[in-house]
Amino acid sequence: NFLNFDRIDILDAHSDVAKRLIENSYVTQPEEQVRNLLFRLPCYPDAGAQEKYEELYGHGVCGRKIRDPMTGNITSYDIIGRVPVKGRDVVIIDDICDGGGTFIPLAKKLKEAGAKTVTLYVTHGIFSKGLEPLKEHIDYLTPFQIIGNYVTMQDIKQFNERTR
């Protein structure tokens, strides 16, 4: 704030805290890339993501994760929503993926509910554990940007080509 910038754009901030703390900040979304995925049914991994994205990307289904209070690990996922998943291509929309611990059980649950394919769209893809853990339940990855040196866009391309 002491630098007195006229404007600071924050790409898909993880929470509203940044906007409140940084003067003259504006949160923007990479709307065009996500809109290209919306021939699929939107799925929000939790209520926070649903609140953040549903107005932009439309109604879909929402995940409700249940965590072990002692470890913080996700023990199960429920899918909430009135839109049927069976036979549909689904896109999970969120801001960040590091190791995939939120998305793997959700994608598994979507497949159990009959989803034809599951795409994971994240604005910021870190993928610190590589892409291997995601392969069993996620069919396609579409990160807006990759952060860190854990994977490359070539790795993403190869991941996506494996199911074609």
Side-chain angles (χ1 to χ4, degrees), residues 13 33 43 49 52 75-76 97 120 158 164:
Q33 183 168 357
C43 176
K52 184 174 172 181
T75 57
S76 68
C97 178
L120 174 60
Q158 289 172 349
R164 291 189 180 151

Side-chain angles (χ1 to χ4, degrees), residues 16 18 28 39 45 61 68 79 85 121 126 137 147-148 154:
D16 290 337
T28 60
F39 63 89
V61 294
D68 179 324
I79 299 171
V85 172
Y121 168 82
I126 299 171
H137 301 291
I147 298 172
Q154 182 63 32

Side-chain angles (χ1 to χ4, degrees), residues 9-79:
D9 289 307
I10 303 171
L11 180 63
D12 200 359
H14 186 66
S15 75
D16 290 337
V17 174
K19 182 155 177 28
R20 289 195 305 267
L21 292 177
I22 301 171
E23 294 172 9
N24 300 321
S25 63
Y26 300 86
V27 176
T28 60
Q29 300 296 337
E31 293 180 46
E32 193 60 39
Q33 183 168 357
V34 179
R35 287 194 196 288
N36 291 334
L37 296 170
L38 290 182
F39 63 89
R40 297 171 170 96
L41 175 68
C43 176
Y44 307 105
D46 53 38
Q50 182 179 24
E51 182 179 322
K52 184 174 172 181
Y53 299 118
E54 190 171 53
E55 186 175 320
L56 280 172
Y57 306 127
H59 297 293
V61 294
C62 182
R64 184 179 71 198
K65 50 190 162 193
I66 291 122
R67 293 186 182 270
D68 179 324
M70 299 300 285
T71 65
N73 293 335
I74 296 172
T75 57
S76 68
Y77 242 113
D78 291 326
I79 299 171

